[in-house]
Amino acid sequence: VDQLVRDVRLAGYDPTASASPGLTLVAADRIELTADLDGDGTIDASSEEHVAYRVAASSRSLQRVVGAQSLPIVSDVAAGGLVLGYFDRAGTRLDPAAAGTAAATRVVTIDLTATPRGRPAVHVSAGARLVNR
């Protein structure tokens, strides 16, 4: 979850003011972020300048996707166990399915529940402000 928070905070980093929209996909259970980390004015989709998070249905793992590489970072995610919330500058909750949510988002909340086999469920919550907006 710390890595997801870090990536949300970096979303929209764009020193040349030409390359990075910040959030390119918002949904209740997945997110895609961009940041012009090398300051060259473009987003390299095969690098950490374009990162996505999703839960793979087949493995029930939370994955951090960088380019074509999927990195599992949490296993045994419960069904519906990743819930992302999006909030505007005033703290109003936004509908991820609504047009304009990605552009209006200033804070993302993360609720993650894992159900390790034979063990009690584990729940982690966090939030991050997009510092580049």
Side-chain angles (χ1 to χ4, degrees):
V1 173
D2 288 340
Q3 183 65 52
L4 176 51
V5 167
R6 178 185 172 275
D7 286 335
V8 167
R9 286 186 178 140
L10 283 173
Y13 178 72
D14 188 5
T16 63
S18 63
S20 181
L23 301 176
T24 57
L25 182 142
V26 292
D29 62 351
R30 64 182 196 211
I31 189 169
E32 291 185 12
L33 314 122
T34 60
D36 184 13
L37 300 176
D38 61 7
D40 70 353
T42 63
I43 299 297
D44 179 357
S46 66
S47 75
E48 287 200 54
E49 291 186 335
H50 184 269
V51 177
Y53 287 87
R54 64 178 184 215
V55 175
S58 60
S59 65
R60 291 183 33 211
S61 65
L62 175 62
Q63 297 179 336
R64 182 174 188 257
V65 181
V66 178
Q69 183 179 21
S70 295
L71 308 164
I73 56 174
V74 176
S75 61
D76 299 320
V77 174
L82 176 63
V83 179
L84 301 166
Y86 303 93
F87 297 83
D88 66 12
R89 185 179 311 276
T92 303
R93 188 177 194 97
L94 302 170
D95 178 358
T101 293
T105 296
R106 296 299 178 268
V107 172
V108 177
T109 59
I110 304 137
D111 287 295
L112 180 68
T113 303
T115 53
R117 293 174 187 101
R119 300 196 177 175
V122 176
H123 180 81
V124 178
S125 295
R129 180 182 173 279
L130 282 78
V131 296
N132 297 295
R133 294 250 181 133

